[in-house]
Amino acid sequence: MSGEFPGAPRARVLVVGAGPAGLMAAGKAAQCGALVTVLERNPKTAVKLRITGKGRCNLTNDAPLESFIEAFGPNGVFLYGALSRFSPADLREFLAKVGVATVVERGGRVFPASGSAVDVAEALERWVLKQGAQFIKRCRAKNLVVRDGSVVGVVTGEQRLIPADRVVIATGGLSYPQTGSTGDGYKMARDVGHTVIPCRPSLVPLETAEDWPKQLQGVSLRNVRATVLLDEKPQASEFGEMLFTHFGISGPIILTLSRCVVPLLGQGRVEISINLKPALSEEKLDARLVRDFRSKKHFKNYLPELTVRALGPILIQKSGIPEHQPLNLITVEQRRRLIKALTDLRVTILRTRPIEEAIITAGGVCLKEVDPRTMESKLVKGLYFAGEVLDLDAKTGGYNLQAAFSTGWVAGESASKPTPAE
């Protein structure tokens, strides 16, 4: 059978990479009637997907289309077509059909109801196999073969030529190289004439100049606001949860802000201001402290009423208030310094963690050279791109995985077109 094109010669589609984009492309192309082979360098499929979200897998977000586009910044407009043709709602419906129920959590984040990324990866692989595609695992693609402006196959690391009418590159980025994301797709694209926007870490933890965040390793803060400052000028701000680590800071809002921090490094002094009491204006916070400071309780014993206990020593240091000073003896100036520490706790950013530790890679195949309606290369006929290999990256919240699924779906559908009759 030839799927949607009965009687037409079936296209031979080769998908390079069995991550979320590659699996979606392979399954959709096979569903549409193509003869599909998937090359995967690992012994397992979707290795990075299996560990994403600490193993829970934030699949997508139930935000409206415009919010999705905005989450990707200026390059988001490229995704209008793909997200319209395979939307977050379509993804959830598809997953339900392959046996993965989903739930919506805080911030519109969508997770598998089982809480297991492995369930998602295995359901996708079963679906791809059911459509008739085949896998060649432990096989690394090295080079594209192009003749007369059209792709005709791929050469593997063993110098084996695998012929194809269409090739979908879905090799991921540079983050988490232990999962197989080592930039192979960028090299293959560059070798056939594509521009590759320089890669940099995105959604990456940040290293601080100060030692005190490192002393709080493992402590998380909820419902705080973090603001990026360049030479004291605000650049971006996020509200939510953050985490102190052995090198500095991380957590959801810090990872999102890192997309703003990366291009600022080297341009001046980059700091992050942490507001521990964003729900209160400074005036209301001051009024609360005035009321509370009528007590004779020692300052040290009062601090857990203000914020997490672990931050107590930092607030004592920043405010200059002795830990055993009674509250009713705290001066106006000391109270002012405490308010400053609570609403503008600063850390200086030295650098990001290495790109290998980033959740995703920014940069990639230039979008101007890819048709957003089909994901086909504008330079090489029959060559398609999907997922993180493209110059697309968004904030946290499920946006990046949805882009991988949507671009994979479109690439697979487009690549499955029947070959011209002889």
Side-chain angles (χ1 to χ4, degrees), residues 69-369:
I69 301 303
E70 184 180 331
F72 285 85
N75 285 354
V77 293
F78 178 87
L79 288 169
Y80 263 115
L83 289 171
S84 298
R85 287 166 61 184
F86 192 71
S87 67
D90 293 330
L91 174 62
R92 295 186 68 190
E93 182 179 348
F94 163 80
L95 289 170
K97 288 179 180 176
V98 298
V100 178
T102 54
V103 293
V104 182
E105 297 187 7
R106 187 179 56 182
R109 291 169 165 80
V110 177
F111 291 86
S114 68
S116 172
V118 173
D119 289 351
V120 179
E122 293 185 348
L124 286 170
E125 181 172 352
R126 287 195 301 270
W127 172 69
V128 173
L129 289 169
K130 187 176 180 180
Q131 305 314 307
Q134 64 171 328
F135 289 93
I136 304 178
K137 297 176 182 176
R138 294 187 174 91
C139 181
R140 184 174 184 177
K142 297 290 285 186
N143 301 103
L144 294 165
V145 182
V146 176
R147 293 182 191 145
D148 300 323
S150 297
V151 70
V152 295
V154 165
V155 174
T156 70
E158 295 77 29
Q159 298 303 308
R160 172 189 173 192
L161 172 63
I162 303 180
D165 302 307
R166 319 270 159 65
V167 174
V168 180
I169 301 294
T171 49
L174 287 172
S175 56
Y176 288 87
Q178 68 272 24
T179 66
S181 298
T182 56
D184 291 356
Y186 302 134
K187 180 185 180 300
M188 285 187 279
R190 197 181 289 113
D191 286 348
V192 297
H194 272 280
T195 303
V196 176
I197 306 302
C199 294
R200 58 195 185 279
S202 184
L203 304 185
V204 64
L206 303 174
E207 296 186 12
T208 60
E210 296 81 5
D211 284 332
W212 66 260
K214 304 164 193 176
Q215 296 164 9
L216 298 177
Q217 178 182 351
V219 174
S220 63
L221 301 177
R222 295 175 181 267
N223 302 318
V224 299
R225 178 165 292 281
T227 302
V228 178
L229 305 171
L230 176 64
D231 294 332
E232 296 291 329
K233 295 179 180 177
Q235 305 294 313
S237 185
E238 289 288 332
F239 173 83
E241 184 177 349
M242 63 173 288
L243 173 72
F244 294 106
T245 71
H246 67 283
F247 50 76
I249 52 177
S250 187
I253 62 174
I254 299 302
L255 295 175
T256 293
L257 288 174
S258 72
R259 299 177 67 231
C260 166
V261 168
V262 171
L264 297 179
L265 291 171
Q267 294 188 30
R269 184 179 178 85
V270 180
E271 298 174 288
I272 287 186
S273 167
I274 305 164
N275 186 344
L276 301 170
K277 296 292 181 181
L280 298 176
S281 65
E282 289 192 17
E283 292 76 14
K284 288 184 177 180
L285 179 57
D286 187 43
R288 172 186 167 177
L289 294 178
V290 168
R291 289 194 305 271
D292 291 350
F293 286 2
R294 293 169 183 162
S295 165
K296 293 182 180 180
K297 182 185 293 186
H298 286 184
F299 181 55
K300 177 182 179 180
N301 296 332
Y302 166 72
L303 284 173
E305 298 178 30
L306 279 180
T307 185
V308 294
R309 185 177 297 274
L311 270 178
I314 307 304
L315 294 177
I316 289 171
Q317 176 192 340
K318 297 290 184 182
S319 68
I321 303 173
E323 61 181 70
H324 295 299
Q325 183 162 331
L327 296 180
N328 61 354
L329 296 182
I330 290 176
T331 67
V332 172
E333 176 58 24
Q334 287 175 323
R335 194 173 73 240
R336 184 194 65 78
R337 290 199 301 266
L338 176 59
I339 291 171
K340 173 73 172 174
L342 288 168
T343 60
D344 188 16
L345 187 60
R346 297 282 185 99
V347 289
T348 306
I349 306 304
L350 288 179
R351 62 186 73 86
T352 70
R353 294 296 284 173
I355 194 168
E356 292 82 5
E357 295 182 27
I359 291 178
I360 59 167
T361 304
V365 175
C366 180
L367 300 182
K368 293 179 181 178
E369 299 169 357

Side-chain angles (χ1 to χ4, degrees), residues 49 51-60 110-112 115-118 120 401 405:
L49 182 68
I51 61 172
T52 191
K54 297 180 180 178
R56 292 193 63 226
C57 195
N58 182 188
L59 292 158
T60 185
V110 177
F111 291 86
S116 172
V118 173
V120 179
L401 261 182
F405 288 125

Side-chain angles (χ1 to χ4, degrees), residues 370-414:
V370 179
D371 187 338
R373 299 167 299 179
T374 61
M375 301 300 142
E376 186 174 15
S377 164
K378 294 179 181 179
L379 309 182
V380 179
K381 187 173 177 57
L383 177 62
Y384 298 78
F385 297 98
E388 195 177 346
V389 73
L390 291 162
D391 182 21
L392 288 166
D393 68 288
K395 64 183 183 180
T396 59
Y399 301 98
N400 292 288
L401 261 182
Q402 178 68 52
F405 288 125
S406 293
T407 56
W409 180 274
V410 171
E413 186 176 59
S414 303

